[in-house]
Amino acid sequence: MAHSLLSLNGSLRKASLNGMLLREAGRLFGGTHIEGNLRLPLYDGDLEAEGIPAEVQALADQIAAADAIIIATPEYNKSLSGVLKNALDWVSRVKGNPWRDKPVAIVSATAGRTGGEAAQFALRLAMLSFRPRLIAGPAVLIAGGADQFDAEGRLTNARYAASLEELVQALHAEVARAA
């Protein structure tokens, strides 16, 4: 049976390195690959009092429906992106907890030399209260990202490609374990 993968990209740029990384993960995962929309209004309690915005509810519904989720975060000032944090904050306000027991993998691609290590740590910390089944590894930290993809968006570094493939396999195994 083919499984569904929801990818969430903490970068909104069209030419995002993390977008390329998520598309590569989706190709490896197989099945249905859905790219979630993180172009959400800034979280505001007054706006929430008017009701959960439709695009936030749609994202929460996608999270709930997906068999597995992969999140990519750029590293901004040693942390996850504001776009991603905003999405987490909004989804935490919907009824129920769509993240609960959901298999989740985290990846990052950055221009810097650490590949997003601090951002991944911050994201893991932010995710803990949602109680997903976070995949422990292998860590996929793509450093010098601009030089790691070919013109078609495929990883060219064999070590990074092998780590991503192993992480996707671990994500599949976690989905199968829950079935």
Side-chain angles (χ1 to χ4, degrees), residues 28-111:
L28 291 169
F29 190 85
T32 304
H33 178 213
I34 301 158
E35 295 182 21
N37 176 21
L38 300 191
R39 290 185 184 276
L40 307 173
L42 289 175
Y43 176 77
D44 175 344
D46 292 336
L47 184 57
E48 180 187 1
E50 298 171 16
I52 298 294
E55 58 268 49
V56 172
Q57 188 62 57
L59 178 61
D61 293 345
Q62 286 179 321
I63 293 166
D67 293 314
I69 300 168
I70 188 162
I71 305 172
T73 182
E75 186 167 292
Y76 297 158
N77 300 311
K78 301 291 183 193
S79 195
L80 67 152
S81 70
V83 167
L84 187 51
K85 179 65 168 76
N86 184 59
L88 296 177
D89 290 344
W90 263 120
V91 172
S92 76
R93 306 304 293 166
V94 300
K95 294 208 182 315
N97 178 1
W99 294 107
R100 177 86 187 234
D101 295 324
K102 190 69 61 174
V104 176
I106 297 173
V107 297
S108 55
T110 67

Side-chain angles (χ1 to χ4, degrees), residues 125-147:
L125 185 62
M127 295 291 298
L128 287 177
S129 64
F130 305 141
R131 299 178 67 190
R133 294 194 327 262
L134 288 171
I135 306 300
V140 177
L141 301 154
I142 310 296
D147 299 325

